[in-house]
Amino acid sequence: MNVKREDQVPKNRQFLADKRWFLPIVVAGFIAGAILISSFIKTADYSLLCSIASSRSQAVAEYSETPVQLQAIIHYATSHIVPQQNFAEISITFDVLKKRSPCNFLVFGLGYDSLMWTSLNPRGKTIFLEEDPKWVQTVLKDAPTLQAYPVKYRTQLQQADQLLAHYKSEPDCFPAKAYIKGNDKCKLALTGFPDEYYDTEWDLIMIDAPRGYFAEAPGRMAAIFSAAVMARNRRGSGVTHVFLHDVDRRVEKVFAEEFLCRKYLVKGVGRLWHFEIPPASNMSTPDGYRFC
């Protein structure tokens, strides 16, 4: 998804030099395609979309491209920056956005391709959560229309095993009782985040941050846990789509199988897994002590 700081130095400069224009042009094509597809969406169709659609029943029948989409097309058509996710991985989320947009889209991470995600959800809400305040400033210089927040995590990657054991013994982490905002007892709950993070019911959640490639990095344990809690606590209709990147890494894979559940995994391509998680009220046999 996002161009990460650890990936900014190419391992094979010659390969990237040969391929540097391919993916940015494809991304521009994605955005142009989204504009074309949206032009055929009727007002009545919006009643079948995301949870925010109920407040937009008077949406215009004829669609026109948004300024951010036009900006994104120009940006990627003239850029040599390669997005973190590859074509097949991006396509998974794009296919869902084609059906669910306009919707509420939460993205853990901020990068050069964030403008793409915003433009693929026109008239929806897309926000980005980023651990590095300086990186937020850097990205927003080129894309000031993005809605991004710097956030602080209270975990470290080296604590992953202890956090998993903690969840199994802390009642405030159990799925039957778990909540996010102000849940200081559960170390996996994301606390101290912007109110908009807690107050919005998210239709799509992309987890491609925070960093998780060295011991002192925050790791994605809390992001995965919190996404699972928000999906289970959903009050609106339909499932919550959760996209997790870097599943080739042990911690991401272990925590995904513990909280997002193999039975809700609907597609996997490359290093990306796509889950469709129903609210707990729609689960046939909800477990009060385990998520899966």
Side-chain angles (χ1 to χ4, degrees):
M1 191 227 42
N2 296 314
V3 177
K4 304 172 195 171
R5 290 170 290 287
E6 67 263 34
D7 295 318
Q8 285 182 303
V9 180
K11 294 181 179 179
N12 189 325
R13 295 180 181 274
Q14 182 60 44
F15 175 79
L16 287 179
D18 294 338
K19 302 294 183 181
R20 66 185 183 277
W21 291 108
F22 174 72
L23 199 49
I25 291 176
V26 169
V27 168
F30 269 140
I31 298 165
I35 294 174
L36 180 62
I37 291 169
S38 298
S39 67
F40 295 102
I41 296 177
K42 304 298 182 180
T43 304
D45 293 335
Y46 284 97
S47 63
L48 303 176
L49 296 176
C50 304
S51 55
I52 60 169
S54 59
S55 64
R56 298 187 178 190
S57 58
Q58 301 300 319
V60 292
E62 292 192 6
Y63 180 91
S64 60
E65 66 276 3
T66 64
V68 71
Q69 286 181 315
L70 297 177
Q71 178 189 359
I73 290 175
I74 295 173
H75 172 78
Y76 291 109
T78 59
S79 174
H80 66 277
I81 297 172
V82 178
Q84 170 64 13
Q85 291 184 24
N86 61 36
F87 174 80
E89 292 168 342
I90 292 173
S91 297
I92 291 180
T93 308
F94 177 56
D95 287 343
V96 176
L97 282 169
K98 284 189 295 184
K99 300 174 183 177
R100 299 294 299 268
S101 180
C103 61
N104 296 330
F105 187 13
L106 174 66
V107 183
F108 286 89
L110 181 69
Y112 292 116
D113 54 356
S114 296
L115 188 61
M116 173 189 69
W117 295 125
T118 296
S119 67
L120 292 177
N121 186 30
R123 296 180 175 83
K125 176 189 289 187
T126 304
I127 74 168
F128 303 88
L129 304 176
E130 168 58 42
E131 63 179 290
D132 186 348
K134 293 183 179 179
W135 184 245
V136 172
Q137 295 176 3
T138 298
V139 174
L140 292 184
K141 284 182 180 179
D142 294 329
T145 58
L146 295 178
Q147 192 172 356
Y149 298 98
V151 294
K152 293 183 179 180
Y153 294 87
R154 52 179 182 156
T155 59
Q156 290 188 348
L157 183 66
Q158 60 190 353
Q159 302 169 336
D161 293 336
Q162 296 94 312
L163 289 169
L164 202 58
H166 161 77
Y167 134 73
K168 294 178 180 179
S169 62
E170 173 52 60
D172 280 357
C173 292
F174 294 168
K177 188 180 178 181
Y179 61 99
I180 304 300
K181 188 175 184 179
N183 190 353
D184 295 322
K185 290 184 179 180
C186 181
K187 297 178 182 178
L188 282 169
L190 294 175
T191 60
F193 275 40
D195 288 340
E196 190 169 14
Y197 165 73
Y198 303 107
D199 297 340
T200 304
E201 187 163 88
W202 301 104
D203 302 298
L204 280 74
I205 302 175
M206 172 75 73
I207 304 174
D208 205 359
R211 290 173 295 174
Y213 61 97
F214 60 96
E216 294 78 18
R220 299 178 188 171
M221 302 83 66
I224 294 171
F225 171 83
S226 296
V229 171
M230 290 188 291
R232 290 176 61 94
N233 293 344
R234 181 182 180 88
R235 296 182 179 180
S237 61
V239 300
T240 301
H241 296 267
V242 180
F243 306 90
L244 176 63
H245 199 224
D246 295 319
V247 294
D248 57 318
R249 301 194 300 210
R250 185 186 73 87
V251 169
E252 277 80 355
K253 187 174 183 179
V254 168
F255 274 72
E257 293 178 339
E258 182 67 41
F259 298 110
L260 302 180
C261 309
R262 279 275 183 178
K263 61 184 176 182
Y264 300 133
L265 177 62
V266 295
K267 196 167 186 179
V269 173
R271 296 183 293 150
L272 185 80
W273 280 355
H274 172 206
F275 299 84
E276 293 182 359
I277 304 177
S281 58
N282 289 357
M283 294 180 182
S284 56
T285 56
D287 189 334
Y289 299 96
R290 294 291 179 268
F291 283 78
C292 303

